[in-house]
Amino acid sequence: MASNKRERFREQKDFLQKHRNWIVYFIVLLALLGSLIGWKLLPDQVSVQVASSGVDVIRRPKNVMLLVHLGMTGAFCALFWRWPREIAYFVGAVVSLLLVFNLLAANLGVA
């Protein structure tokens, strides 16, 4: 007897699976550009949060933070490329990409 299990978000999963190469390429390209900009423009010590929030700021080395965010983005992109129908991996890649640009915004005085 065949199971008639309904799949949630079928259209979105089909779209992600069909265009996974372009999506991964675009996310990795943006992550590399963000890391390159951060490597060039950020000071040697960076904070993960905005200094005006009233909380004591903990400083971390710039290169370590950029590599952590770039590694997270790469890992989630690899998982998404391997299993494109898992939306959680796509969301993880996008959140990791946003963390790279959050690091830039928090330390370059944009926010």
Side-chain angles (χ1 to χ4, degrees):
M1 180 164 214
S3 67
N4 293 337
K5 182 179 174 184
R6 277 187 42 191
E7 186 179 26
R8 293 184 182 186
F9 306 111
R10 177 181 291 278
E11 294 84 19
Q12 290 82 5
K13 288 181 179 182
D14 291 340
F15 177 82
L16 290 175
Q17 185 172 6
K18 183 179 177 184
H19 300 291
R20 73 176 170 188
N21 290 331
W22 282 103
I23 293 169
V24 168
Y25 174 76
F26 186 68
I27 290 174
V28 169
L29 181 68
L30 285 177
L32 287 173
L33 287 174
S35 296
L36 184 65
I37 291 169
W39 181 68
K40 185 69 177 166
L41 295 179
L42 288 175
D44 290 336
Q45 297 287 319
V46 295
S47 66
V48 180
Q49 59 192 7
V50 180
S52 64
S53 64
V55 180
D56 291 336
V57 176
I58 299 173
R59 299 277 180 190
R60 304 268 185 220
K62 154 180 84 169
N63 293 334
V64 171
M65 294 306 295
L66 288 173
L67 284 175
V68 165
H69 291 312
L70 190 60
M72 285 173 48
T73 305
F76 277 114
C77 281
L79 288 170
F80 171 69
W81 187 83
R82 177 68 177 96
W83 295 287
R85 297 190 69 80
E86 295 294 330
I87 295 178
Y89 297 143
F90 173 70
V91 172
V94 171
V95 168
S96 299
L97 179 65
L98 291 176
L99 287 175
V100 172
F101 290 102
N102 182 40
L103 184 70
L104 291 172
N107 290 284
L108 291 177
V110 176

